[in-house]
Amino acid sequence: MKFNKYKISHYFTFILSGLNYFIAIILKSFIKRKNNNILLFGHKLVGNLEVIFKDKRFNQNEIFFITLNYKDYLNLKKIYGKRILTPLNIFHIFKALGCRIIVASHGIFLHKIIKKLGIKTILCGHAINGSVPKNKNKTIKNFEIFDQVWLHSPYDKKIVKNELLCKTFNLNIFGFARNQVLIENNEKKDELKERNFLNGKKVILYAPTSNRGSKKYMDSEFSLYNVDFYKFIIKELSNTNVILIIKTHLNDSISKEIKKLVKNNNNLLFQDDLDVDYDYDQLIMSDVLITDISTIYVDYLLLGKPIYLINNPDPDPQRELSSVLKNINLPNIDNKKSLQDMIEKLKLDELKSDNIQNLKNDIYENQDHLKTIDRINKIFLSS
């Protein structure tokens, strides 16, 4: 959960969590008792964290997930019970800091102090590195604190080494557990479609990047936050067998007006409307991906299906993109006519996957994705 200075509840959450954190660290420095648990920490229980938490191949380990978002905590607790922790409860923090391994998708609060408690820390990542931060030294120092940094692919290592200028002593090309499950579950496409009443439908997955609060981006022609886009796409998909699944970035929210429009239309679905086992099942169900300045296309390459890049403005033009988001050789959607043409080709089964294999080879080389979970388990069981 990112801090939002305009939400009073965030001040309460972060202050109380911080106090509990400090008290628990002080107590842990005197009480050395440890458990054999693995703690997962990230903005949401999605991606690699979701697979490590849910996949039965990790059942030899006692795995917990801690979240700052109290609403998420309450919802997840209903499903997973005591395996879900909140920093608002000091006993939960105390239990969390007794673990032997912390696996994080992003950073860790008071990371250096955590390491002094004898906890091994691992950065499992959430995507291939799509940007080069202005303060490279901060990123380098953050990477170096972790005992291990698990990278997405050989190309990700090139980015981290040559563009972020990180040292390589703790970098490991493990691949992503999320991508192993994506490949394994690809054969369940028909089953997932049937479960969601999409038999015989052509499915477009629209998964753009985060809006990052950019008004220019949110007001743009194909923006998920522009009601006119929905009116246009509803008209285009009316009386067709084409379904548009809308996958918003985890930090973004949609207006009530747009939600009502989607709810009352049979050709549009939000990701939360779907009955799936994993977040990435949406990729499996779809026949084509539309995205913009997002690294999701890199994972979609593993499915060998068509990918289109839509001409949305960069929500953060001041950032420096990494090479994986520059000069991508994929077909573009530059205007409404080209979007209409793409939909027509989909209806006629005429979409092509040109250059998908070449891009896949550039990113992954000869990477064996089906050994990722075994590699992770060996780390867990030997630590």
Side-chain angles (χ1 to χ4, degrees):
M1 183 175 86
K2 287 189 175 182
F3 180 74
N4 186 335
K5 64 182 181 180
Y6 300 108
K7 289 191 175 182
I8 296 175
S9 61
H10 281 207
Y11 289 91
F12 170 79
T13 298
F14 278 80
I15 290 172
L16 181 56
S17 297
L19 286 172
N20 286 342
Y21 212 85
F22 279 112
I23 293 169
I25 287 173
I26 292 170
L27 291 174
K28 274 295 176 185
S29 65
F30 292 102
I31 304 171
K32 302 295 183 180
R33 186 178 64 208
K34 294 183 71 65
N35 55 51
N36 204 35
N37 300 338
I38 295 170
L39 180 71
L40 307 181
F41 179 71
H43 296 322
K44 295 275 186 179
L45 188 58
V46 295
N48 293 320
L49 297 182
E50 180 187 27
V51 173
I52 294 170
F53 187 83
K54 292 167 64 173
D55 195 286
K56 292 180 180 179
R57 284 167 286 190
F58 292 107
N59 280 358
Q60 293 169 276
N61 309 282
E62 188 114 29
I63 300 176
F64 295 83
F65 174 70
I66 191 165
T67 174
L68 269 169
N69 189 311
Y70 194 66
K71 184 178 179 181
D72 284 352
Y73 164 72
L74 292 176
N75 290 332
L76 290 169
K77 186 183 176 185
K78 292 176 183 176
I79 303 170
Y80 303 111
K82 294 181 179 180
R83 294 179 65 198
I84 305 298
L85 307 176
T86 171
L88 296 174
N89 184 325
I90 192 168
F91 296 104
H92 285 194
I93 288 281
F94 194 76
K95 182 175 184 176
L97 295 180
C99 68
R100 59 188 171 92
I101 301 174
I102 294 178
V103 180
S105 59
H106 295 75
I108 298 175
F109 182 55
L110 296 178
H111 196 165
K112 289 183 178 179
I113 296 176
I114 293 294
K115 292 293 294 292
K116 290 180 179 180
L117 297 177
I119 300 172
K120 182 173 185 174
T121 60
I122 297 170
L123 180 64
C124 72
H126 62 287
I128 192 171
N129 284 276
S131 61
V132 179
K134 293 180 181 178
N135 189 345
K136 291 182 183 178
N137 288 332
K138 182 178 179 181
T139 300
I140 291 169
K141 288 178 181 177
N142 179 48
F143 271 43
E144 289 180 349
I145 300 173
F146 285 96
D147 291 285
Q148 292 188 18
V149 176
W150 296 345
L151 297 178
H152 172 276
S153 55
Y155 197 92
D156 198 18
K157 186 171 183 178
K158 291 178 184 177
I159 294 171
V160 172
K161 180 183 175 183
N162 301 329
E163 300 177 43
L164 276 64
L165 305 180
C166 293
K167 296 177 182 177
T168 60
F169 70 93
N170 62 348
L171 304 181
N172 297 277
I173 305 173
F174 268 31
F176 279 7
R178 173 184 71 195
N179 285 349
Q180 177 171 343
V181 171
L182 175 68
I183 293 169
E184 291 172 340
N185 287 353
N186 192 30
E187 63 184 26
K188 297 181 179 179
K189 179 178 179 179
D190 291 340
E191 176 187 327
L192 287 165
K193 277 189 160 184
E194 183 176 356
R195 191 196 302 179
N196 288 277
F197 307 101
L198 298 177
N199 312 58
K201 303 290 186 181
K202 305 288 187 181
V203 178
I204 302 170
L205 176 64
Y206 185 22
T209 190
S210 169
N211 63 53
R212 292 176 171 81
S214 166
K215 190 173 188 303
K216 181 179 179 181
Y217 181 86
M218 290 189 283
D219 291 343
S220 61
E221 188 173 27
F222 302 114
S223 167
L224 294 183
Y225 316 94
N226 181 353
V227 69
D228 289 335
F229 166 71
Y230 289 87
K231 292 176 180 177
F232 165 76
I233 203 69
I234 286 171
K235 182 179 178 181
E236 290 303 312
L237 300 185
S238 178
N239 299 316
T240 73
N241 68 337
V242 178
I243 303 295
L244 181 73
I245 295 176
I246 300 157
K247 181 175 174 61
T248 58
H249 192 275
L250 60 88
N251 292 320
D252 296 343
S253 56
I254 299 292
S255 71
K256 291 181 179 179
E257 179 186 7
I258 290 173
K259 286 181 179 179
K260 187 176 179 181
L261 262 180
V262 172
K263 186 177 181 180
N264 293 330
N265 187 270
N266 294 326
N267 295 92
L268 272 62
L269 292 168
F270 285 117
Q271 73 244 39
D272 292 340
D273 299 325
L274 300 171
D275 178 11
V276 295
D277 300 314
Y278 290 98
D279 176 59
Y280 258 28
D281 283 351
Q282 302 158 51
L283 280 66
I284 295 169
M285 294 166 60
S286 64
D287 298 292
V288 57
L289 171 71
I290 298 176
T291 187
D292 50 18
I293 313 165
S294 171
T295 58
I296 193 172
Y297 89 87
V298 176
D299 296 335
Y300 203 81
L301 289 171
L302 294 169
L303 301 177
K305 296 186 285 193
I307 303 171
Y308 281 73
L309 302 180
I310 202 161
N311 188 27
N312 289 335
D314 190 336
D316 185 8
Q318 300 304 313
R319 65 175 170 160
E320 180 184 351
L321 300 175
S322 77
S323 56
V324 80
L325 288 177
K326 293 179 180 177
N327 303 315
I328 307 168
N329 189 9
L330 288 168
N332 291 295
I333 295 173
D334 296 317
N335 48 50
K336 289 179 178 176
K337 177 65 168 58
S338 55
L339 178 55
Q340 290 168 328
D341 290 344
M342 190 279 289
I343 293 171
E344 193 60 31
K345 287 181 181 179
L346 175 62
K347 289 191 289 185
L348 298 173
D349 290 321
E350 293 179 356
L351 287 183
K352 296 181 180 179
S353 303
D354 293 343
N355 205 42
I356 295 296
Q357 189 60 48
N358 291 334
L359 286 171
K360 181 180 174 182
N361 292 341
D362 289 343
I363 299 294
Y364 297 106
E365 298 178 9
N366 296 316
Q367 185 174 343
D368 188 348
H369 300 276
L370 299 182
K371 292 184 178 179
T372 300
I373 288 175
D374 284 343
R375 293 191 191 106
I376 294 173
N377 251 329
K378 286 179 182 177
I379 296 294
F380 288 170
L381 297 173
S382 64
S383 298

